Amino acid sequence: MNTLIAVVLAYLLGSVSFAVVVSKLMGLSDPRTYGSKNPGATNVLRSGNKAAAILTLLGDAVKGWLAVWLAQHYANAADLSEAGIALVGLAAFIGHLWPVFFRFIGGKGVATAAGVLIGIQWQMGLGVLAVWLLVAFATRYSSLAALIAAASAPMIYGMVFGSDVVLLAIFIMSGLLIYRHRQNIANLMSGKESKIGSKKKA
């Protein structure tokens, strides 16, 4: 029962869309109405407001990390197993993808996934983040960086820690993240994908 409560709370935390909240607080257009229409930091950057994009990135990452940290911190008191903690991280990620507070229209999960991974094992999370940064700086394609980082996450964890329930949760997150980027994959293949920093289109 405690695991179910923790998972539901993590989902609700993940459902807070910082792209929408930050944009509204800063008087910007709803990110779901321009560019890729994705409520995420990369699309908020297309508004031209870098501060809003940074706040969105940090907010989405921190909520993923916080869900896992709280589960770990109260694991003994709430009788949460390693599997329960992995489910909490996955629930926060799913909340970002399909947020109950925003009619289940969420982002693609890159920042939240990074936060969850850092919460699970910070060295591994930073390693995956480094992969994203390298690809993003080299190509200026946020989506390509996300896809390569997503593919690398279970491999990095598996090589260091082996096969366990956490690896299964990471596989699921990576699969969902790649699925959410299916249109970006098509755009990359056709040469239509927007690069980081491109301006918004109504």
Side-chain angles (χ1 to χ4, degrees):
M1 186 63 179
N2 287 340
T3 298
L4 178 60
I5 293 172
V7 166
V8 171
L9 291 175
Y11 169 78
L12 294 176
L13 176 59
S15 289
V16 179
S17 178
F18 280 90
V20 178
V21 172
V22 169
S23 294
K24 187 171 184 178
L25 290 175
M26 298 184 73
L28 304 174
S29 299
D30 189 323
R32 296 169 295 181
T33 64
Y34 62 80
S36 65
K37 295 182 171 58
N38 173 59
T42 301
N43 201 40
V44 171
L45 184 61
R46 294 188 175 103
S47 71
N49 193 312
K50 293 181 179 179
I54 291 171
L55 288 174
T56 298
L57 179 69
L58 290 175
D60 284 343
V62 167
K63 71 183 181 184
W65 168 83
L66 182 61
V68 175
W69 182 85
L70 287 172
Q72 293 171 334
H73 190 71
Y74 293 104
N76 290 333
D79 195 27
L80 287 177
S81 64
E82 185 179 41
I85 295 171
L87 283 173
V88 163
L90 184 58
F93 175 72
I94 290 174
H96 179 80
L97 300 188
W98 295 286
V100 67
F101 303 129
F102 298 93
R103 299 181 181 178
F104 303 101
I105 301 173
K108 295 175 181 175
V110 178
T112 304
V116 170
L117 292 176
I118 290 171
I120 290 173
Q121 216 294 322
W122 68 268
Q123 294 97 328
M124 181 267 300
L126 291 180
V128 174
L129 182 60
V131 172
W132 186 93
L133 288 170
L134 286 172
V135 178
F137 276 111
T139 68
R140 291 187 60 221
Y141 285 118
S142 174
S143 56
L144 180 60
L147 290 165
I148 294 175
S152 72
M155 291 189 291
I156 292 173
Y157 184 89
M159 286 189 295
V160 177
F161 301 101
S163 298
D164 57 20
V165 68
V166 176
L167 179 60
L168 177 60
I170 294 173
F171 260 119
I172 294 172
M173 278 201 306
S174 296
L176 287 173
L177 197 149
I178 291 170
Y179 169 76
R180 294 287 284 190
H181 282 78
R182 60 195 184 283
Q183 184 59 53
N184 302 92
I185 294 172
N187 290 341
L188 285 165
M189 294 178 68
S190 62
K192 297 178 181 178
E193 182 71 348
S194 299
K195 292 190 175 183
I196 295 172
S198 61
K199 297 299 181 181
K200 71 179 182 180
K201 294 181 181 179

PDB file of all heavy atoms in Angstrom, residues 176-202:
ATOM      1  N   LEU A 176      10.146   4.787 -23.720  1.00  0.00           N
ATOM      2  CA  LEU A 176       9.103   5.802 -23.800  1.00  0.00           C
ATOM      3  C   LEU A 176       9.651   7.114 -24.339  1.00  0.00           C
ATOM      4  O   LEU A 176       8.985   7.810 -25.122  1.00  0.00           O
ATOM      5  CB  LEU A 176       8.487   6.031 -22.417  1.00  0.00           C
ATOM      6  CG  LEU A 176       7.576   4.922 -21.892  1.00  0.00           C
ATOM      7  CD1 LEU A 176       7.178   5.191 -20.440  1.00  0.00           C
ATOM      8  CD2 LEU A 176       6.317   4.804 -22.762  1.00  0.00           C
ATOM      9  N   LEU A 177      10.871   7.465 -23.925  1.00  0.00           N
ATOM     10  CA  LEU A 177      11.476   8.704 -24.403  1.00  0.00           C
ATOM     11  C   LEU A 177      11.699   8.649 -25.913  1.00  0.00           C
ATOM     12  O   LEU A 177      11.415   9.619 -26.630  1.00  0.00           O
ATOM     13  CB  LEU A 177      12.791   8.958 -23.669  1.00  0.00           C
ATOM     14  CG  LEU A 177      13.359  10.378 -23.746  1.00  0.00           C
ATOM     15  CD1 LEU A 177      14.137  10.694 -22.482  1.00  0.00           C
ATOM     16  CD2 LEU A 177      14.254  10.554 -24.957  1.00  0.00           C
ATOM     17  N   ILE A 178      12.190   7.523 -26.405  1.00  0.00           N
ATOM     18  CA  ILE A 178      12.392   7.358 -27.848  1.00  0.00           C
ATOM     19  C   ILE A 178      11.048   7.401 -28.572  1.00  0.00           C
ATOM     20  O   ILE A 178      10.921   8.041 -29.627  1.00  0.00           O
ATOM     21  CB  ILE A 178      13.147   6.051 -28.135  1.00  0.00           C
ATOM     22  CG1 ILE A 178      14.590   6.162 -27.629  1.00  0.00           C
ATOM     23  CG2 ILE A 178      13.141   5.725 -29.635  1.00  0.00           C
ATOM     24  CD1 ILE A 178      15.358   4.860 -27.640  1.00  0.00           C
ATOM     25  N   TYR A 179      10.029   6.769 -27.986  1.00  0.00           N
ATOM     26  CA  TYR A 179       8.692   6.784 -28.587  1.00  0.00           C
ATOM     27  C   TYR A 179       8.158   8.203 -28.688  1.00  0.00           C
ATOM     28  O   TYR A 179       7.561   8.585 -29.710  1.00  0.00           O
ATOM     29  CB  TYR A 179       7.742   5.925 -27.747  1.00  0.00           C
ATOM     30  CG  TYR A 179       6.294   6.071 -28.125  1.00  0.00           C
ATOM     31  CD1 TYR A 179       5.789   5.467 -29.280  1.00  0.00           C
ATOM     32  CD2 TYR A 179       5.421   6.821 -27.321  1.00  0.00           C
ATOM     33  CE1 TYR A 179       4.451   5.608 -29.634  1.00  0.00           C
ATOM     34  CE2 TYR A 179       4.091   6.963 -27.671  1.00  0.00           C
ATOM     35  CZ  TYR A 179       3.610   6.362 -28.827  1.00  0.00           C
ATOM     36  OH  TYR A 179       2.292   6.512 -29.172  1.00  0.00           O
ATOM     37  N   ARG A 180       8.372   9.004 -27.658  1.00  0.00           N
ATOM     38  CA  ARG A 180       7.881  10.381 -27.661  1.00  0.00           C
ATOM     39  C   ARG A 180       8.613  11.241 -28.700  1.00  0.00           C
ATOM     40  O   ARG A 180       8.139  12.316 -29.055  1.00  0.00           O
ATOM     41  CB  ARG A 180       8.041  10.991 -26.269  1.00  0.00           C
ATOM     42  CG  ARG A 180       7.181  10.355 -25.212  1.00  0.00           C
ATOM     43  CD  ARG A 180       5.729  10.717 -25.357  1.00  0.00           C
ATOM     44  NE  ARG A 180       5.470  12.079 -24.895  1.00  0.00           N
ATOM     45  CZ  ARG A 180       4.263  12.599 -24.735  1.00  0.00           C
ATOM     46  NH1 ARG A 180       3.198  11.889 -25.020  1.00  0.00           N
ATOM     47  NH2 ARG A 180       4.098  13.836 -24.314  1.00  0.00           N
ATOM     48  N   HIS A 181       9.755  10.775 -29.153  1.00  0.00           N
ATOM     49  CA  HIS A 181      10.523  11.513 -30.160  1.00  0.00           C
ATOM     50  C   HIS A 181      10.310  10.949 -31.570  1.00  0.00           C
ATOM     51  O   HIS A 181      11.106  11.236 -32.467  1.00  0.00           O
ATOM     52  CB  HIS A 181      12.017  11.478 -29.816  1.00  0.00           C
ATOM     53  CG  HIS A 181      12.415  12.437 -28.739  1.00  0.00           C
ATOM     54  ND1 HIS A 181      12.182  12.181 -27.402  1.00  0.00           N
ATOM     55  CD2 HIS A 181      13.021  13.655 -28.797  1.00  0.00           C
ATOM     56  CE1 HIS A 181      12.642  13.200 -26.684  1.00  0.00           C
ATOM     57  NE2 HIS A 181      13.147  14.108 -27.503  1.00  0.00           N
ATOM     58  N   ARG A 182       9.245  10.186 -31.769  1.00  0.00           N
ATOM     59  CA  ARG A 182       9.057   9.545 -33.074  1.00  0.00           C
ATOM     60  C   ARG A 182       8.910  10.555 -34.213  1.00  0.00           C
ATOM     61  O   ARG A 182       9.421  10.328 -35.316  1.00  0.00           O
ATOM     62  CB  ARG A 182       7.860   8.594 -33.034  1.00  0.00           C
ATOM     63  CG  ARG A 182       6.533   9.225 -32.683  1.00  0.00           C
ATOM     64  CD  ARG A 182       5.494   8.170 -32.318  1.00  0.00           C
ATOM     65  NE  ARG A 182       4.168   8.732 -32.061  1.00  0.00           N
ATOM     66  CZ  ARG A 182       3.826   9.355 -30.935  1.00  0.00           C
ATOM     67  NH1 ARG A 182       4.709   9.479 -29.943  1.00  0.00           N
ATOM     68  NH2 ARG A 182       2.598   9.826 -30.789  1.00  0.00           N
ATOM     69  N   GLN A 183       8.236  11.694 -33.956  1.00  0.00           N
ATOM     70  CA  GLN A 183       8.120  12.716 -34.991  1.00  0.00           C
ATOM     71  C   GLN A 183       9.465  13.371 -35.258  1.00  0.00           C
ATOM     72  O   GLN A 183       9.799  13.701 -36.397  1.00  0.00           O
ATOM     73  CB  GLN A 183       7.097  13.776 -34.582  1.00  0.00           C
ATOM     74  CG  GLN A 183       6.848  14.839 -35.651  1.00  0.00           C
ATOM     75  CD  GLN A 183       6.359  14.240 -36.956  1.00  0.00           C
ATOM     76  OE1 GLN A 183       5.388  13.489 -36.990  1.00  0.00           O
ATOM     77  NE2 GLN A 183       7.037  14.557 -38.067  1.00  0.00           N
ATOM     78  N   ASN A 184      10.255  13.544 -34.192  1.00  0.00           N
ATOM     79  CA  ASN A 184      11.595  14.110 -34.365  1.00  0.00           C
ATOM     80  C   ASN A 184      12.479  13.198 -35.200  1.00  0.00           C
ATOM     81  O   ASN A 184      13.293  13.667 -35.997  1.00  0.00           O
ATOM     82  CB  ASN A 184      12.255  14.340 -32.997  1.00  0.00           C
ATOM     83  CG  ASN A 184      11.444  15.258 -32.120  1.00  0.00           C
ATOM     84  OD1 ASN A 184      10.613  14.799 -31.346  1.00  0.00           O
ATOM     85  ND2 ASN A 184      11.681  16.554 -32.233  1.00  0.00           N
ATOM     86  N   ILE A 185      12.309  11.894 -35.013  1.00  0.00           N
ATOM     87  CA  ILE A 185      13.079  10.930 -35.812  1.00  0.00           C
ATOM     88  C   ILE A 185      12.743  11.103 -37.288  1.00  0.00           C
ATOM     89  O   ILE A 185      13.628  11.140 -38.152  1.00  0.00           O
ATOM     90  CB  ILE A 185      12.790   9.490 -35.343  1.00  0.00           C
ATOM     91  CG1 ILE A 185      13.308   9.278 -33.910  1.00  0.00           C
ATOM     92  CG2 ILE A 185      13.439   8.482 -36.293  1.00  0.00           C
ATOM     93  CD1 ILE A 185      12.897   7.951 -33.304  1.00  0.00           C
ATOM     94  N   ALA A 186      11.446  11.240 -37.577  1.00  0.00           N
ATOM     95  CA  ALA A 186      11.017  11.447 -38.962  1.00  0.00           C
ATOM     96  C   ALA A 186      11.570  12.763 -39.510  1.00  0.00           C
ATOM     97  O   ALA A 186      12.023  12.826 -40.666  1.00  0.00           O
ATOM     98  CB  ALA A 186       9.493  11.444 -39.038  1.00  0.00           C
ATOM     99  N   ASN A 187      11.559  13.803 -38.684  1.00  0.00           N
ATOM    100  CA  ASN A 187      12.078  15.107 -39.116  1.00  0.00           C
ATOM    101  C   ASN A 187      13.589  15.062 -39.354  1.00  0.00           C
ATOM    102  O   ASN A 187      14.099  15.679 -40.298  1.00  0.00           O
ATOM    103  CB  ASN A 187      11.750  16.176 -38.080  1.00  0.00           C
ATOM    104  CG  ASN A 187      10.272  16.511 -38.027  1.00  0.00           C
ATOM    105  OD1 ASN A 187       9.531  16.222 -38.967  1.00  0.00           O
ATOM    106  ND2 ASN A 187       9.843  17.115 -36.938  1.00  0.00           N
ATOM    107  N   LEU A 188      14.293  14.350 -38.489  1.00  0.00           N
ATOM    108  CA  LEU A 188      15.740  14.207 -38.665  1.00  0.00           C
ATOM    109  C   LEU A 188      16.057  13.490 -39.969  1.00  0.00           C
ATOM    110  O   LEU A 188      16.972  13.879 -40.710  1.00  0.00           O
ATOM    111  CB  LEU A 188      16.342  13.440 -37.478  1.00  0.00           C
ATOM    112  CG  LEU A 188      16.482  14.210 -36.163  1.00  0.00           C
ATOM    113  CD1 LEU A 188      16.744  13.250 -35.010  1.00  0.00           C
ATOM    114  CD2 LEU A 188      17.596  15.246 -36.263  1.00  0.00           C
ATOM    115  N   MET A 189      15.309  12.466 -40.277  1.00  0.00           N
ATOM    116  CA  MET A 189      15.549  11.682 -41.484  1.00  0.00           C
ATOM    117  C   MET A 189      15.220  12.477 -42.751  1.00  0.00           C
ATOM    118  O   MET A 189      15.829  12.267 -43.803  1.00  0.00           O
ATOM    119  CB  MET A 189      14.725  10.396 -41.442  1.00  0.00           C
ATOM    120  CG  MET A 189      15.161   9.433 -40.343  1.00  0.00           C
ATOM    121  SD  MET A 189      14.161   7.928 -40.260  1.00  0.00           S
ATOM    122  CE  MET A 189      14.631   7.128 -41.797  1.00  0.00           C
ATOM    123  N   SER A 190      14.263  13.420 -42.633  1.00  0.00           N
ATOM    124  CA  SER A 190      13.877  14.214 -43.798  1.00  0.00           C
ATOM    125  C   SER A 190      14.577  15.569 -43.851  1.00  0.00           C
ATOM    126  O   SER A 190      14.340  16.353 -44.771  1.00  0.00           O
ATOM    127  CB  SER A 190      12.359  14.431 -43.796  1.00  0.00           C
ATOM    128  OG  SER A 190      11.959  15.167 -42.646  1.00  0.00           O
ATOM    129  N   GLY A 191      15.415  15.866 -42.838  1.00  0.00           N
ATOM    130  CA  GLY A 191      16.141  17.131 -42.803  1.00  0.00           C
ATOM    131  C   GLY A 191      15.301  18.319 -42.380  1.00  0.00           C
ATOM    132  O   GLY A 191      15.676  19.465 -42.635  1.00  0.00           O
ATOM    133  N   LYS A 192      14.179  18.072 -41.700  1.00  0.00           N
ATOM    134  CA  LYS A 192      13.277  19.153 -41.315  1.00  0.00           C
ATOM    135  C   LYS A 192      13.354  19.491 -39.825  1.00  0.00           C
ATOM    136  O   LYS A 192      12.627  20.368 -39.360  1.00  0.00           O
ATOM    137  CB  LYS A 192      11.832  18.771 -41.666  1.00  0.00           C
ATOM    138  CG  LYS A 192      11.588  18.574 -43.156  1.00  0.00           C
ATOM    139  CD  LYS A 192      10.145  18.158 -43.409  1.00  0.00           C
ATOM    140  CE  LYS A 192       9.893  17.940 -44.896  1.00  0.00           C
ATOM    141  NZ  LYS A 192       8.482  17.495 -45.148  1.00  0.00           N
ATOM    142  N   GLU A 193      14.207  18.812 -39.091  1.00  0.00           N
ATOM    143  CA  GLU A 193      14.265  19.017 -37.647  1.00  0.00           C
ATOM    144  C   GLU A 193      14.871  20.378 -37.312  1.00  0.00           C
ATOM    145  O   GLU A 193      15.879  20.797 -37.886  1.00  0.00           O
ATOM    146  CB  GLU A 193      15.076  17.901 -36.984  1.00  0.00           C
ATOM    147  CG  GLU A 193      15.167  18.002 -35.464  1.00  0.00           C
ATOM    148  CD  GLU A 193      13.849  17.696 -34.772  1.00  0.00           C
ATOM    149  OE1 GLU A 193      12.804  17.615 -35.438  1.00  0.00           O
ATOM    150  OE2 GLU A 193      13.870  17.552 -33.539  1.00  0.00           O
ATOM    151  N   SER A 194      14.241  21.093 -36.365  1.00  0.00           N
ATOM    152  CA  SER A 194      14.745  22.390 -35.920  1.00  0.00           C
ATOM    153  C   SER A 194      15.944  22.204 -35.001  1.00  0.00           C
ATOM    154  O   SER A 194      16.032  21.236 -34.253  1.00  0.00           O
ATOM    155  CB  SER A 194      13.646  23.157 -35.175  1.00  0.00           C
ATOM    156  OG  SER A 194      12.547  23.400 -36.022  1.00  0.00           O
ATOM    157  N   LYS A 195      16.859  23.159 -35.067  1.00  0.00           N
ATOM    158  CA  LYS A 195      18.042  23.102 -34.223  1.00  0.00           C
ATOM    159  C   LYS A 195      17.840  23.933 -32.964  1.00  0.00           C
ATOM    160  O   LYS A 195      16.946  24.778 -32.887  1.00  0.00           O
ATOM    161  CB  LYS A 195      19.267  23.601 -34.990  1.00  0.00           C
ATOM    162  CG  LYS A 195      19.690  22.670 -36.124  1.00  0.00           C
ATOM    163  CD  LYS A 195      21.026  23.068 -36.702  1.00  0.00           C
ATOM    164  CE  LYS A 195      21.487  22.050 -37.751  1.00  0.00           C
ATOM    165  NZ  LYS A 195      22.833  22.377 -38.295  1.00  0.00           N
ATOM    166  N   ILE A 196      18.666  23.690 -31.971  1.00  0.00           N
ATOM    167  CA  ILE A 196      18.601  24.422 -30.707  1.00  0.00           C
ATOM    168  C   ILE A 196      18.788  25.909 -30.977  1.00  0.00           C
ATOM    169  O   ILE A 196      19.724  26.322 -31.673  1.00  0.00           O
ATOM    170  CB  ILE A 196      19.686  23.932 -29.739  1.00  0.00           C
ATOM    171  CG1 ILE A 196      19.419  22.472 -29.350  1.00  0.00           C
ATOM    172  CG2 ILE A 196      19.724  24.799 -28.479  1.00  0.00           C
ATOM    173  CD1 ILE A 196      20.536  21.839 -28.548  1.00  0.00           C
ATOM    174  N   GLY A 197      17.883  26.723 -30.422  1.00  0.00           N
ATOM    175  CA  GLY A 197      17.999  28.165 -30.577  1.00  0.00           C
ATOM    176  C   GLY A 197      17.187  28.733 -31.715  1.00  0.00           C
ATOM    177  O   GLY A 197      17.103  29.960 -31.856  1.00  0.00           O
ATOM    178  N   SER A 198      16.575  27.889 -32.540  1.00  0.00           N
ATOM    179  CA  SER A 198      15.744  28.409 -33.620  1.00  0.00           C
ATOM    180  C   SER A 198      14.521  29.097 -33.040  1.00  0.00           C
ATOM    181  O   SER A 198      14.012  28.695 -32.004  1.00  0.00           O
ATOM    182  CB  SER A 198      15.314  27.267 -34.560  1.00  0.00           C
ATOM    183  OG  SER A 198      14.564  26.300 -33.864  1.00  0.00           O
ATOM    184  N   LYS A 199      14.056  30.143 -33.701  1.00  0.00           N
ATOM    185  CA  LYS A 199      12.954  30.950 -33.167  1.00  0.00           C
ATOM    186  C   LYS A 199      11.614  30.243 -33.319  1.00  0.00           C
ATOM    187  O   LYS A 199      11.453  29.371 -34.155  1.00  0.00           O
ATOM    188  CB  LYS A 199      12.900  32.311 -33.871  1.00  0.00           C
ATOM    189  CG  LYS A 199      14.155  33.152 -33.627  1.00  0.00           C
ATOM    190  CD  LYS A 199      14.341  33.447 -32.151  1.00  0.00           C
ATOM    191  CE  LYS A 199      15.571  34.311 -31.919  1.00  0.00           C
ATOM    192  NZ  LYS A 199      15.781  34.599 -30.490  1.00  0.00           N
ATOM    193  N   LYS A 200      10.669  30.680 -32.520  1.00  0.00           N
ATOM    194  CA  LYS A 200       9.358  30.044 -32.514  1.00  0.00           C
ATOM    195  C   LYS A 200       8.570  30.389 -33.770  1.00  0.00           C
ATOM    196  O   LYS A 200       8.761  31.438 -34.383  1.00  0.00           O
ATOM    197  CB  LYS A 200       8.549  30.449 -31.277  1.00  0.00           C
ATOM    198  CG  LYS A 200       8.059  31.901 -31.270  1.00  0.00           C
ATOM    199  CD  LYS A 200       7.247  32.176 -30.030  1.00  0.00           C
ATOM    200  CE  LYS A 200       6.711  33.601 -30.041  1.00  0.00           C
ATOM    201  NZ  LYS A 200       5.919  33.902 -28.842  1.00  0.00           N
ATOM    202  N   LYS A 201       7.674  29.460 -34.138  1.00  0.00           N
ATOM    203  CA  LYS A 201       6.730  29.711 -35.224  1.00  0.00           C
ATOM    204  C   LYS A 201       5.329  29.481 -34.678  1.00  0.00           C
ATOM    205  O   LYS A 201       5.073  28.507 -34.011  1.00  0.00           O
ATOM    206  CB  LYS A 201       6.995  28.750 -36.388  1.00  0.00           C
ATOM    207  CG  LYS A 201       8.339  28.982 -37.064  1.00  0.00           C
ATOM    208  CD  LYS A 201       8.524  28.006 -38.209  1.00  0.00           C
ATOM    209  CE  LYS A 201       9.886  28.212 -38.879  1.00  0.00           C
ATOM    210  NZ  LYS A 201      10.100  27.262 -39.992  1.00  0.00           N
ATOM    211  N   ALA A 202       4.451  30.417 -34.951  1.00  0.00           N
ATOM    212  CA  ALA A 202       3.080  30.305 -34.438  1.00  0.00           C
ATOM    213  C   ALA A 202       2.379  29.115 -35.043  1.00  0.00           C
ATOM    214  O   ALA A 202       2.607  28.774 -36.185  1.00  0.00           O
ATOM    215  CB  ALA A 202       2.314  31.575 -34.740  1.00  0.00           C
TER     216      ALA A 202
END
